[in-house]
Amino acid sequence: MTSTEPAASRRLRPPEHYRLVASVRPLTFSPYDPCARIVAGTLWWATRTPAGPATLALRPAGGELVAEGYGPGGGWVVDRADAIAGLRDDLAGFAELAAGHPVMAELANRHRGLRMPATGLVFNRVLRAVLEQKVTGTEAYRGYAAMVRHFGQPAPGPMRLLLLPEPAAVAAAGYWVFHPFGVEQRRADTLRRAATVADRLERCADSTEATRRLTAITGIGPWTAAEVVRVAYGDPDAVSVGDYHVPNTVAWALAGEPRADDARMLELLEPFRGHRGRVCRLLEAAGIQAPKFGPRAPIRSFAHF
């Protein structure tokens, strides 16, 4: 078997109205992500797994999803393909909660095919979330792509992708190694601290334990932890407290208020407890934004990261 032949494959039956691209979009950083691409409706996702490097291809075919895994970890990603695609996402109770608000009722119906993926991998998401702290999305992506190209290795499979750096490589690098990527010492040190405990992070049983372990790391706060567990565990209740824009978006969509702080956002989201992160995801998918006025602000500027 060559590296361009799948090591494992599987066919999955998604629910009616399921939308693959919308569901797995959080697994890509941009259309040019060196580790993940969506090409002609197929997700190509390269990652490091407990079984070794892997690339997962997920594509629709005749009402099903075909999952193909490449590389030593190909079997691992195929075994988890349904979770990665969001097919293990539990929407129990959400329709009833959404029905109580006209905006959410409409969005829940319009985006009923959107599911929340759960990769089962924590450190992968930590790398991206830390790089997104207190900078614009463009700056975060540039740092991420430069770091991947510096540390990364070619991923298995026919798509030319790269693997994220191994935690040991990140932990061993001096903070100055990250400077050419546009990553200052504070974020570099946070990455290095997280890398030293990556094994313990991967062993977390659920998002609650992972949040506790993550926020015990200096430089990681509620925003970063929520960004991680929402994708690593598919946590539908994880809210990115400390984001510059999300409170305004939530307040505008749910109460017609153009500006809000975290406390007001959480107050408005409380009726959706258990699915508060899902509400934010649906607002994002719908492209809802609060009106812009006043000085232009950075894309992200967190009070607590």
Side-chain angles (χ1 to χ4, degrees):
M1 181 181 297
T2 69
S3 62
T4 58
E5 296 176 332
S9 63
R10 179 184 177 192
R11 299 185 78 90
L12 306 168
R13 175 67 69 174
E16 188 179 9
H17 306 300
Y18 171 76
R19 294 163 56 200
L20 172 64
V21 171
S23 297
V24 300
R25 183 75 69 188
L27 303 185
T28 67
F29 204 156
S30 88
Y32 311 103
D33 190 332
C35 302
R37 299 281 176 87
I38 296 174
V39 180
T42 296
L43 170 71
W44 294 89
W45 182 63
T47 188
R48 296 185 185 275
T49 79
T55 296
L56 174 67
L58 274 174
R59 58 182 172 84
E64 295 183 319
L65 281 181
V66 176
E68 295 177 333
Y70 299 82
W76 192 94
V77 291
V78 165
D79 286 344
R80 284 198 59 87
D82 56 337
I84 295 167
L87 302 187
R88 297 186 195 177
D89 185 15
D90 185 2
L91 278 78
F94 179 63
E96 292 77 11
L97 296 178
H101 193 286
V103 171
M104 292 315 304
E106 179 186 349
L107 293 183
N109 179 63
R110 190 194 314 170
H111 297 280
R112 60 188 180 276
L114 187 152
R115 297 293 185 271
M116 297 182 69
T119 64
L121 298 169
V122 176
F123 187 69
N124 282 15
R125 197 64 179 188
V126 170
L127 283 174
R128 172 173 164 178
V130 170
L131 290 174
E132 289 182 289
Q133 292 176 350
K134 299 193 76 171
V135 297
T136 67
T138 299
E139 289 172 313
Y141 174 72
R142 285 175 180 166
Y144 164 85
M147 183 185 67
V148 168
R149 294 189 178 101
H150 176 84
F151 287 103
Q153 301 169 344
M159 183 64 65
R160 297 180 63 183
L161 297 174
L162 295 174
L163 297 165
L164 285 168
E166 294 184 89
V170 174
Y175 72 83
W176 55 87
V177 172
F178 298 85
H179 285 187
F181 316 148
V183 179
E184 80 293 342
Q185 183 174 353
R186 182 190 59 77
R187 285 184 295 156
D189 285 346
T190 300
L191 284 175
R192 294 164 63 234
R193 282 190 289 265
T196 62
V197 296
D199 286 347
R200 278 184 282 171
L201 293 175
E202 300 297 353
R203 291 196 297 269
C204 292
D206 53 32
S207 64
T208 300
E209 182 183 358
T211 297
R212 179 176 58 80
R213 287 188 179 271
L214 284 165
T215 52
I217 299 170
T218 301
I220 291 183
W223 183 89
T224 304
E227 291 290 305
V228 172
V229 301
R230 191 164 50 247
V231 173
Y233 295 91
D235 187 342
D237 201 45
V239 181
S240 298
V241 173
D243 196 277
Y244 186 87
H245 289 296
V246 173
N248 299 337
T249 299
V250 169
W252 179 246
L254 300 185
E257 300 168 5
R259 292 295 179 266
D261 57 15
D262 284 329
R264 178 57 173 156
M265 173 184 70
L266 293 174
E267 178 185 358
L268 291 169
L269 288 174
E270 184 58 30
F272 304 96
R273 178 169 287 277
H275 294 276
R276 295 176 299 172
R278 189 186 308 280
V279 169
C280 296
R281 178 75 183 92
L282 288 174
L283 295 178
E284 178 186 11
I288 294 176
Q289 295 180 337
K292 294 181 174 62
F293 55 79
R296 184 176 179 84
I299 291 179
R300 291 186 175 90
S301 179
F302 309 110
H304 305 288
F305 46 81

